[in-house]
Amino acid sequence: MIPVIRPVLGDEEAAAAAEAVRSGWVAQGPRVAEFERAFADHVGAGHGVATSSCTTALHLALLLVGVGAGDEVVVPSLSFIATANAVRYCGATPVFADVDAVTGNVTAKTVETVITARTRAVIAVDQAGVPCDLDEITALGVPVIEDAACAAGSTYRGRPVGAGAEIAAWSFHPRKLITTGEGGMLTTRSGDRARRARRLREHGMSVSAAERHASRTAIVEEYSETGFNYRMTDIQAAIGLVQLTRLDEIIARRRALAARYQELLPGYETARDPAYGETNYQSFWIVLPDDHPIGRDALLARLAEEGISARRGIMAAHLEPAYAGTTADLPVTERLTRRSLILPLFHEMTHAEQDRVVSVIAEAR
Ligand SMILES: *Cc1c(COP(=O)(O)O)cnc(C)c1O
């Protein structure tokens, strides 16, 4: 079986997790603090706040910019459903913007079309690792949260994705490039926002449990607002610290394999670098032409018969029952979600495996 992705995990991660267990400190503690610093440095962001997932990081990000009941937040429908769901967690309404046909990302133009007097924020996704054009979206004057779940190590205008973001949210789910099992991170330029995010992820506590434990004097904490338990554990952070050292090598390998797919599949629209940056190819998608002989779903079935695990292209939230009744005019989103598929791409993939995938696609008729 050829998987769609496989995490790169070795003895070093196992040893780091074991060390955290042996230390006796398994909840959020010194390793989480170290991972936050290391990750924020790697992506050029000021502050990192580790969370239980990217979904919870998005929820906190929306609260930080003041999103609440009755507000609207502009998001792409063409994204994993967590992007839209996080808006609903705040009692607000996601309003769907269409995407660019090449990058799969919202643009200043598609966002501007759906902005209203109630728009409180925009979530701009770096879809499948392809950086969005953050500067032109930010120039619209509405607070922008970057959903960089897939984009660790991608670049935007010569800097790492996230370096220019007021607030960005990241995922360490195994479907992404580096993993902590489950896990996420919020990064921000603002020290005040990072401090509030730290409180909100830990029940609204004024002093963290780790700080109280480390103190020689008795500290009584205070709860100034309703928070959440969105913490990462030190076991996860220990794994994340090792994973981070592998990121550059993982991206180099993915970019080489993606370039080979592009060579072997001439004539197909595929995921690729935009003019202003580089993707980490978290997912490699191809778009089938309108006159494809068998169509997307039959091709997915054919690949599965050959032991190849591909995926439908990126989902569109507005087509799911959870968002039934949403009115949205999203022609590019609907074409991409219906005509695209995601091909296997993983660190240890061999050229022979890649050739097998390509031959099933080439012979489909
Ligand atoms: C994976 C993903 C998420 C959710 O990440 P979790 O860590 O699983 O919560 C959110 N947004 C996008 C664009 C994603 O791809």
Side-chain angles (χ1 to χ4, degrees), residues 53-56 58 79-80 82-83 125 127 147 149-150 170-173 176 182-183:
S53 70
C54 179
T55 306
T56 54
L58 284 170
S79 181
F80 184 57
T83 310
V125 177
Q127 196 47 257
D147 181 345
C150 303
W170 310 80
S171 174
F172 307 117
H173 183 273
K176 322 297 182 186
E182 294 280 358

Side-chain angles (χ1 to χ4, degrees), residues 51 53-67 82-83 85-91 123 145 169 186 200 226-228 230:
T51 54
S53 70
C54 179
T55 306
T56 54
L58 284 170
H59 185 193
L60 296 183
L62 289 162
L63 295 174
L64 292 183
V65 300
V67 171
T83 310
N85 285 349
V87 176
R88 283 188 167 172
Y89 298 167
C90 302
I123 301 182
I145 293 160
L186 180 151
L200 282 171
T226 306
F228 308 88
Y230 284 171

Side-chain angles (χ1 to χ4, degrees), residues 3 32 72 102 200 213 222 245 258 305 337:
V32 167
E72 291 179 356
V102 176
L200 282 171
H213 183 83
E222 184 184 88
T245 66
E305 278 164 30
T337 197

Side-chain angles (χ1 to χ4, degrees), residues 37 76 164 295:
R37 269 193 307 275

Side-chain angles (χ1 to χ4, degrees), residues 5-75:
I5 197 167
R6 185 187 288 146
V8 187
L9 290 164
D11 291 341
E12 295 90 338
E13 282 84 353
E19 208 182 296
V21 171
R22 279 192 217 103
S23 78
W25 193 286
V26 288
Q28 176 185 289
R31 287 174 180 81
V32 167
E34 195 184 337
F35 184 44
E36 290 174 339
R37 269 193 307 275
F39 187 82
D41 286 351
H42 200 93
V43 302
H47 307 270
V49 180
T51 54
S52 51
S53 70
C54 179
T55 306
T56 54
L58 284 170
H59 185 193
L60 296 183
L62 289 162
L63 295 174
L64 292 183
V65 300
V67 171
D71 291 335
E72 291 179 356
V73 177
V74 177
V75 303

Side-chain angles (χ1 to χ4, degrees), residues 119-350:
T119 305
R120 190 62 183 251
V122 176
I123 301 182
V125 177
D126 304 304
Q127 196 47 257
V130 178
C132 64
D133 196 346
L134 190 72
D135 291 350
E136 62 158 38
I137 299 166
T138 305
L140 295 171
V142 179
V144 181
I145 293 160
E146 187 165 17
D147 181 345
C150 303
S154 295
T155 64
Y156 175 63
R157 299 196 189 281
R159 293 198 293 167
V161 158
E166 184 56 39
I167 306 179
W170 310 80
S171 174
F172 307 117
H173 183 273
R175 182 67 183 79
K176 322 297 182 186
L177 265 56
I178 58 172
T179 184
T180 57
E182 294 280 358
M185 184 87 69
L186 180 151
T187 56
T188 175
R189 267 203 288 257
S190 153
D192 285 344
R193 283 190 163 146
R195 272 187 290 282
R196 177 142 183 254
R198 292 208 162 89
R199 278 199 309 274
L200 282 171
R201 78 166 164 196
E202 194 169 13
H203 308 287
M205 241 184 250
S206 59
V207 183
S208 78
E211 282 164 351
R212 270 184 296 140
H213 183 83
S215 170
R216 289 166 170 274
T217 55
I219 300 180
V220 178
E221 77 282 13
E222 184 184 88
Y223 302 85
S224 50
E225 60 181 327
T226 306
F228 308 88
N229 180 354
Y230 284 171
R231 287 172 297 208
M232 176 184 276
T233 69
D234 254 31
I235 305 171
Q236 291 168 295
I239 296 169
L241 279 163
V242 179
Q243 286 274 285
L244 194 56
T245 66
R246 299 189 194 274
L247 181 59
D248 293 346
E249 181 200 335
I250 290 171
I251 293 171
R253 178 68 182 155
R254 296 187 75 80
R255 288 185 58 81
L257 288 167
R260 192 163 180 275
Y261 263 140
Q262 282 157 342
E263 250 167 58
L264 296 172
L265 293 165
Y268 281 91
E269 289 172 50
T270 74
R272 59 183 157 95
D273 290 333
Y276 52 75
E278 286 190 350
T279 172
N280 61 9
Y281 287 107
Q282 181 267 341
S283 288
F284 184 84
W285 77 74
I286 66 169
V287 186
L288 300 183
D290 294 341
D291 61 353
H292 187 267
I294 68 170
R296 200 269 310 270
D297 293 350
L299 182 54
L300 276 177
R302 192 78 59 88
L303 286 160
E305 278 164 30
E306 299 294 327
I308 296 163
S309 178
R311 291 283 183 277
R312 69 167 174 172
I314 296 145
M315 64 171 298
H318 78 287
L319 300 178
E320 295 298 322
Y323 287 89
T326 312
T327 49
D329 179 25
L330 306 169
V332 181
T333 295
E334 291 187 6
R335 175 171 182 272
L336 284 176
T337 197
R338 291 192 170 121
R339 306 213 63 85
S340 64
L341 64 161
I342 291 169
L343 302 185
L345 184 59
F346 51 94
H347 195 66
E348 274 108 21
M349 190 176 201
T350 62

